[in-house]
Amino acid sequence: EEVRIGKQRFVSRRSLVALRTADQDMIQRTEAFLLDLAAKGEARVFYDPVMSNAGLRWQVPAHRDKIGWVLGAVSERSFENHGVLLSVLVHKKTPGDTLPSGGFFNLAGHLGFDVEDRHAFVARETRKVLRKFGRPKAA
């Protein structure tokens, strides 16, 4: 939605608020989805179901950028509140051992984690996430 003042065009405040609300909703839905997986003991999920849950499609390049931003926000929040990176559970679908995307490692490095050995870091962080959010197994 735009507002015109003379020859100038501006985005309306209402549109910006709606966009921010939609972004926050997408972050919360994605966080809840990943928390549910962790509670079930799921150590890995590929992008497609995460994106579908967020209302995004992997075939759309802008959506692939958006899910990276959303997952970064989820991990920043889980790191701030719990000391773990929840989006470690989201992996690229590749042959053999899978890993999260490069953006995950960039964020982890920025937050002070040693990510030189990516596989070891993902294994450690995944264990931490599952311990933090997993449901205790019945005896």
Side-chain angles (χ1 to χ4, degrees):
E1 185 178 316
E2 71 178 38
V3 176
R4 288 181 181 258
I5 301 174
K7 293 182 180 182
Q8 299 293 319
R9 295 171 27 185
F10 301 92
V11 176
S12 74
R13 180 181 178 277
R14 181 180 19 234
S15 291
L16 293 174
V17 169
L19 182 60
R20 179 162 165 61
T21 300
D23 283 348
Q24 291 304 313
D25 179 62
M26 192 178 299
I27 291 166
Q28 289 172 347
R29 282 186 291 137
T30 301
E31 181 180 47
F33 183 78
L34 295 178
L35 286 170
D36 185 56
L37 290 175
K40 294 175 183 174
E42 299 289 331
R44 179 184 68 198
V45 63
F46 295 119
Y47 274 88
D48 192 26
V50 177
M51 291 181 75
S52 293
N53 179 73
L56 301 172
R57 295 180 35 220
W58 66 267
Q59 299 92 335
V60 179
H63 287 189
R64 293 193 300 266
D65 291 341
K66 184 73 167 193
I67 199 63
W69 177 82
V70 167
L71 290 170
V74 166
S75 270
E76 285 175 344
R77 185 160 41 191
S78 68
F79 179 70
E80 183 177 314
N81 295 329
H82 305 286
V84 297
L85 302 176
L86 184 56
S87 70
V88 71
L89 303 179
V90 184
H91 289 223
K92 296 186 305 183
K93 191 180 279 187
T94 56
D97 289 337
T98 63
L99 290 171
S101 72
F104 170 80
F105 294 104
N106 291 341
L107 175 61
H110 176 74
L111 293 173
F113 288 95
D114 176 5
V115 295
E116 189 172 331
D117 183 341
R118 289 181 170 199
H119 288 282
F121 173 70
V122 167
R124 280 191 312 274
E125 197 62 21
T126 300
R127 282 191 302 274
K128 286 170 41 181
V129 164
L130 295 179
R131 273 196 308 269
K132 184 73 178 174
F133 300 115
R135 293 186 189 117
K137 304 284 188 230

